[in-house]
Amino acid sequence: GPRALLQSLREAANSIQNGDIVCIFAEGEMTRTGMMLPFRRGFERIMKGLTQPIIPIHLDRVWGSIFSFEKGRFFWKWPHHYPQAITITYGKPLPANTPAASLRAAVQELSTESFAQRRDEMLPLHQAFIREVRSHPFRMAMADGNNPKVSYLSALIRSILLARKLAPVWKGQEMVGLLLPPSVGAACTNLAILLSGRVPVNLNYTAAQDSVQSAADQCGIKTVITSRAFLEKIKVTPPGTPVFLEDLVPTISFSDKLVSTLQALFFPKTLIEWALGSTRTWTLDDLATVIFSSGSTGEPKGVMLSHYNIFANLEGIAQILKVDKDDCILGILPLFHSLGFTGGFWFPLLKGFRVIFHPNPMDARIIGSLATRYSVTILAATPTFISAYTRRVAPEQFGSVRYVMVGAEKLSERVAIAFDDHFGIRPHEAYGCTECAPAVTMNVPGFRAAGFYQIGSKRGAIGQPLPGISVKIVDPETRVPLPLKTP
């Protein structure tokens, strides 16, 4: 009750005056959403009139242990790792009169610092995929219109096959271009390029020819992997020397399939790379891809993303979306877009669930049927796309969808309400930029239970920073941080 609460605050203040250390969890309760909760102001009452410092502390990697609410329960779950590592990060002392909002911002910055300690659990992207294959080889990994079910092991075998066949084509080249829509072929080709020690660059087939040529020139691309059927549908001509996936199929022999299968099953990660012509020792700081702007404001600009950039972003997304092996995401965003490359391609493959590719995100009727057929649970799209789905997809076709994330443009309240009214699920707005690989902030579903209500989203807002990301609002001229608004 209130009397006991006031008594505890007085005892805490007296203890601090007597030279003791008092530890307070300023959120007041354990997070059920995976996001940091608002800080309560009880500590301000404790520190009133005192001069002792406040030490901000951040606990990382507790989420996923048995002492978190991950998967909707305490204790009765397996931790992610054995043993489960915990990172404790200490900040600089703050004045006794620091308000709750400023203290929370300081702890948020510590979360960014602590994320560097997760590197010991990360691998280069293609090596992490091999680790997933060895954990569950026969689990479904991906599908598209031509490939109804591709397992993790099958995806690795196909990638090794492609790398073996294309080894003479890209010999001596550091980067390889791709002109392919979201598909099983595009996913396996990206994997093949990385396995062979090269960097995939997915070219923007919606941009002008000059922009595509400029991107290829900047990366020194000589070979572009593409498809004859796809080239007939776009207006872009491949720069450099095009290699067509259809031409490779007749050249694949039984012995090629046998060798690729044996390598996928028994070769260690580094031996697979060596056998496919890789001469480098991959590190997390090596380049994973280059994502180019459209060139609408001049020369297209390439953003160089490392394996660590992308993997760290995936870790933050996974913490708040709470995915498991039964989840399924629609891969409808192009791989030349950072969210399509990170969220629609690597996110499902490295977190052990399914991705269903489709080349045209405006094919509302086909997307509705795919969502029903594969029990899609996660949809990442733009407001333009979900507006089309509201008009052309039957409500029951999205009956399995539990989370809808929209970005790339502002989500209007009209579009959000129409989608909610039609499908019974509120789309959640997010914000990202290619330089951040790309997710920065996200809205997530809140948590409701007897005695609990934790807010995960707000209408008209872009959400909270992901775990491992901190945000500052600064003066555009001086770059000095602006003061926080306090309630």
Side-chain angles (χ1 to χ4, degrees), residues 179 203-209 211-212 230 234-236 293-294 334 336 359 361:
L179 270 178
L203 299 171
N204 186 349
Y205 46 78
T206 66
Q209 182 68 45
S211 297
V212 175
F230 181 61
I234 61 176
K235 301 178 181 179
V236 173
S293 65
S294 63
F336 62 74

Side-chain angles (χ1 to χ4, degrees), residues 460-476:
I462 58 173
Q464 297 186 56
L466 293 180
I469 291 180
S470 54
V471 174
K472 285 183 178 180
I473 300 176
V474 301
D475 183 283

Side-chain angles (χ1 to χ4, degrees), residues 260-309:
S260 299
T261 301
L262 293 174
Q263 290 178 338
L265 285 171
F266 302 114
F267 277 27
K269 305 180 190 72
T270 53
L271 189 55
I272 290 177
E273 295 171 352
W274 176 82
L276 298 179
S278 177
T279 58
R280 66 164 70 189
T281 301
W282 286 97
T283 70
L284 288 171
D285 294 319
D286 284 334
L287 192 62
T289 191
V290 181
I291 304 289
F292 277 89
S293 65
S294 63
S296 57
T297 58
E299 196 85 0
K301 301 172 182 63
V303 177
M304 303 168 70
L305 298 177
S306 69
H307 291 262
Y308 177 63
N309 293 151

Side-chain angles (χ1 to χ4, degrees), residues 98-430:
T98 302
S102 298
L103 180 58
R104 186 180 184 280
V107 175
Q108 185 84 41
E109 290 188 23
L110 293 179
S111 79
T112 305
E113 182 181 332
S114 70
F115 242 63
Q117 302 302 318
R118 297 195 184 199
R119 291 174 67 102
D120 58 352
E121 299 172 358
M122 300 179 185
L123 291 170
L125 299 173
H126 57 288
Q127 293 183 9
F129 174 71
I130 296 175
R131 181 173 61 185
E132 289 294 315
V133 172
R134 301 285 161 79
S135 298
H136 36 76
F138 303 111
R139 183 185 298 174
M140 181 178 171
M142 59 182 77
D144 62 19
N146 297 319
N147 303 272
K149 185 177 181 180
V150 178
S151 68
Y152 274 80
L153 178 60
S154 178
L156 179 58
I157 293 172
R158 293 180 186 212
S159 302
I160 293 174
L161 260 173
L162 282 171
R164 286 169 52 84
K165 286 296 180 182
L166 292 169
V169 175
W170 57 43
K171 185 177 181 180
Q173 301 175 35
E174 182 179 354
M175 298 187 186
V176 179
L178 297 95
L179 270 178
L180 292 169
S183 59
V184 170
C188 292
T189 305
N190 274 272
L191 282 164
I193 293 170
L194 285 170
L195 287 170
S196 65
R198 287 151 183 85
V199 177
V201 180
N202 291 274
L203 299 171
N204 186 349
Y205 46 78
T206 66
Q209 182 68 45
D210 291 346
S211 297
V212 175
Q213 185 64 55
S214 173
D217 292 342
Q218 291 180 54
C219 293
I221 292 174
K222 298 178 181 178
T223 300
V224 175
I225 313 300
T226 185
S227 160
R228 295 185 190 276
F230 181 61
L231 284 184
E232 293 176 358
K233 300 177 182 179
I234 61 176
K235 301 178 181 179
V236 173
T237 302
T241 303
V243 176
F244 301 102
L245 291 180
E246 297 95 331
D247 296 346
L248 298 178
V249 176
T251 68
I252 297 175
S253 64
F254 175 78
S255 60
D256 290 328
K257 296 178 181 178
L258 179 62
V259 171
S260 299
T261 301
L262 293 174
Q263 290 178 338
L265 285 171
F266 302 114
F267 277 27
K269 305 180 190 72
T270 53
L271 189 55
I272 290 177
E273 295 171 352
W274 176 82
L276 298 179
S278 177
T279 58
R280 66 164 70 189
T281 301
W282 286 97
T283 70
L284 288 171
D285 294 319
D286 284 334
L287 192 62
T289 191
V290 181
I291 304 289
F292 277 89
S293 65
S294 63
S296 57
T297 58
E299 196 85 0
K301 301 172 182 63
V303 177
M304 303 168 70
L305 298 177
S306 69
H307 291 262
Y308 177 63
N309 293 151
I310 295 172
F311 211 134
N313 205 247
L314 297 181
E315 288 289 290
I317 297 173
Q319 179 167 320
I320 61 173
L321 286 192
K322 300 180 280 294
V323 294
D324 60 30
K325 62 182 179 63
D326 296 322
D327 277 303
C328 180
I329 188 171
L330 267 176
I332 55 176
L333 298 177
L335 298 187
F336 62 74
H337 190 281
S338 54
L339 183 56
F341 188 78
T342 298
F345 170 37
W346 286 112
F347 181 43
L349 294 188
L350 300 193
K351 294 302 174 182
F353 63 100
R354 298 166 292 152
V355 54
I356 311 303
F357 293 112
H358 186 67
N360 187 352
M362 294 300 289
D363 281 342
R365 300 189 188 281
I366 296 178
I367 286 170
S369 63
L370 289 173
T372 302
R373 178 180 179 182
Y374 292 99
S375 299
V376 168
T377 59
I378 302 172
L379 173 63
T382 69
T384 299
F385 298 161
I386 68 168
S387 182
Y389 305 156
T390 301
R391 297 191 302 271
R392 299 171 190 162
V393 177
E396 62 273 13
Q397 290 184 300
F398 279 179
S400 59
V401 176
R402 66 175 179 86
Y403 183 80
V404 179
M405 178 181 68
V406 297
E409 56 186 275
K410 178 64 179 172
L411 174 64
S412 70
E413 188 67 9
R414 177 185 59 81
V415 171
I417 291 175
F419 190 91
D420 193 357
D421 289 345
H422 189 68
F423 295 108
I425 181 170
R426 175 81 184 185
H428 291 86
E429 193 165 9

